[in-house]
Amino acid sequence: MPALVHGPRIAIIGGGIGGLAAAAFLHRAGLTATVYEQAPALTEVGAGLVVAPNAVRLLRRLGVMERFLHRAVPLDWGWEFRRWTDGSVLSVEKLSDTCERLYGERTYTTHRADLLDIVKAAVPGDWIRLGARCTAVDPRPDGALLRFADGSRAAADVVIGADGVHSVVRGTVAEPAPPGYSGLCAFRTVVPAEAAPDFARRRAQTLWLGPGRHFVHYPIAGGEAVNVFAAAPAGDYTDESWSAKATVEEVHAEFAGWDPRVTDLIAAGGDPGRWALLERAPLRRWSHGRITLLGDAAHPMFPFFAQGAAQSMEDAAVLARCLAATADDPEQALKHYESARIERTSRLQQISHGRRDINHLPDGPDQQARDAALAGSDPLVGNGWIYGYDAEETALS
């Protein structure tokens, strides 16, 4: 355990993966913090996610790899793209050796709740305040005053808004801007392994591409379940709630005519979650005074590059380094943090949003050109700027 150093009173609003990662890296740096989470228990809404090398190396540095490997699934087979009508392979990337050779770590899949528990293990238990819904952040020259739904207040020298796409903290550092309609919604469900076909239980992330839609599946939870994600036209649906539900029949109708392996997997799941994918432009700044943002509160992105959780963890590592290096000048530390992160995360936001058009091309010449490009591409090498990135080294440069 690091020796605690004198430092600012740090408040983290939000106890999701990003907020807990911030607490974990601050603890590792010898600083202290308090995490304020509105829920009565630490839980992660959602299903599976991909943990790429840029996030895995950070988990290793937190000392939680043994816990992580207990439930994570290594993508030995790798990534593959398939055609919607018949499952013909457009591209396949074997990850078992190449990923570790190029970037020093493998790629895994995991359940979001498992990752949350793993990161939580690196945070002192007495740092976490549950049932604390922050309703306002009042900036002050020497920090901020936090107001909570139960009428209580707390003073902080530094405030980190890790409170997601509906962030309360963001309103204190950025101009309010309503999200735009993207025309897409997403579905998610988890299928028990015993109910999933053998094809879906392989250690692979499979992406089926079709007109206006795509469908993704991969094993999670130590192979005990299969995560299913699908993107489809939203129609007039604009609800961004992670607790909203659809029906199996609705998803089945969206993918009617697709390869039977897709529709069979849909049928094996229960009623899926459903949420609208809304457009948010990159922020021009996300820090003001001694208040800053992290993760989805700063840079929400479509899940098409599977980098949302990874970017929140990178934010956490950089922010902790910056605050530890300039503990006596938190405002300068937050400026350094923002400047180190904003270009990278803005780029990922933009390419994630652009991917929807590439994934959803109607059959025809453009789709054929895309498929040919996939067959001749090496995404693991081509995206080295994502997976080879070392957040902590960047914070020191």
Side-chain angles (χ1 to χ4, degrees), residues 150-199:
D150 63 1
S152 63
R153 302 179 182 185
D157 301 315
V158 175
V159 177
I160 301 168
D163 48 343
V165 293
H166 302 296
S167 172
V168 169
V169 183
R170 184 170 54 224
T172 67
V173 301
E175 290 295 323
Y181 175 75
S182 76
L184 289 178
C185 69
F187 302 92
R188 68 172 186 274
T189 191
V190 175
V191 179
E194 60 269 20
D198 291 344
F199 176 80

Side-chain angles (χ1 to χ4, degrees), residues 193-214:
E194 60 269 20
D198 291 344
F199 176 80
R201 297 202 298 268
R202 297 172 307 137
R203 292 182 169 183
Q205 180 191 15
T206 302
L207 296 89
W208 301 71
L209 306 183
R213 298 158 176 78
H214 75 272

